[in-house]
Amino acid sequence: IKQRKMSKQQVLIERELQSNSKNRIWSIISDTDKLSRWIADEIQEEGKKLHFIWGDLQNSHDSRMATIAKKVKYHYIRLKWTDEEDSNAFLELRMEKSNISDNYVLFITDFAEPDDIDTMEDLWADNLDRLHQFSGL
């Protein structure tokens, strides 16, 4: 009996950043050097592909390759993992100006299996803590 794979669920994470500088926020979500400060240990850019590396390259590490599916300057960057089986899944980092505080809000859209949503939310909380530590945002 062939088991049908459950489709992933969309997870939306929202974090207000203590900045109203669109250039600063855009560089944090689109520049590979800055992304590697809070999302991965290293990111190598190869044209439209980004190679994400977690851990020490010399020893134990994980890596994933993503393609930049869409990039709209000062709005968002959307990545598709090359090993992703769910064709609807993607990772998106979107910046929007808050009408209330005048700061930018970072919206992260990611996808996870229903059993993995809590783990993914914890991972993004850790990433956002790293973002805050390196940038103050």
Side-chain angles (χ1 to χ4, degrees):
I1 299 173
K2 188 174 181 182
Q3 191 172 354
R4 198 171 84 82
K5 189 157 177 62
M6 276 197 301
S7 65
K8 292 186 172 184
Q9 291 183 353
Q10 182 174 313
V11 178
L12 181 63
I13 295 154
E14 182 180 336
R15 169 76 59 96
E16 183 174 340
L17 304 175
Q18 300 303 310
S19 175
N20 61 6
S21 166
K22 73 177 181 181
N23 289 324
R24 185 171 184 211
I25 304 303
W26 178 247
S27 72
I28 282 172
I29 68 172
S30 66
D31 178 90
T32 53
D33 288 337
K34 289 190 176 69
L35 276 174
S36 67
R37 302 280 303 271
W38 66 284
I39 288 185
D41 294 314
E42 186 177 342
I43 301 173
Q44 299 167 350
E45 194 167 1
E46 302 158 17
K48 283 246 183 224
K49 294 210 181 291
L50 299 178
H51 187 193
F52 290 76
I53 300 161
W54 295 271
D56 182 359
L57 266 179
Q58 307 306 319
N59 300 307
S60 167
H61 70 275
D62 288 324
S63 70
R64 280 185 95 183
M65 187 73 78
T67 302
I68 299 171
K70 193 156 189 190
K71 187 176 189 177
V72 179
K73 190 171 185 177
Y74 301 124
H75 291 288
Y76 69 93
I77 182 167
R78 179 177 290 187
L79 306 173
K80 298 279 269 182
W81 297 110
T82 57
D83 62 353
E84 179 59 64
E85 293 177 14
D86 186 335
S87 61
N88 296 317
F90 58 86
L91 169 62
E92 183 178 276
L93 305 173
R94 176 181 296 269
M95 57 186 277
E96 290 182 19
K97 191 98 174 217
S98 168
N99 295 331
I100 299 164
S101 68
D102 201 39
N103 285 330
Y104 277 94
V105 178
L106 175 62
F107 292 93
I108 300 165
T109 305
D110 207 345
F111 287 79
E113 299 289 340
D115 293 346
D116 296 335
I117 288 174
D118 287 344
T119 303
M120 175 177 283
E121 287 174 342
D122 290 345
L123 179 73
W124 277 113
D126 289 346
N127 287 344
L128 289 166
D129 285 346
R130 286 174 58 191
L131 171 64
H132 180 74
Q133 287 168 12
F134 107 81
S135 70
L137 299 177

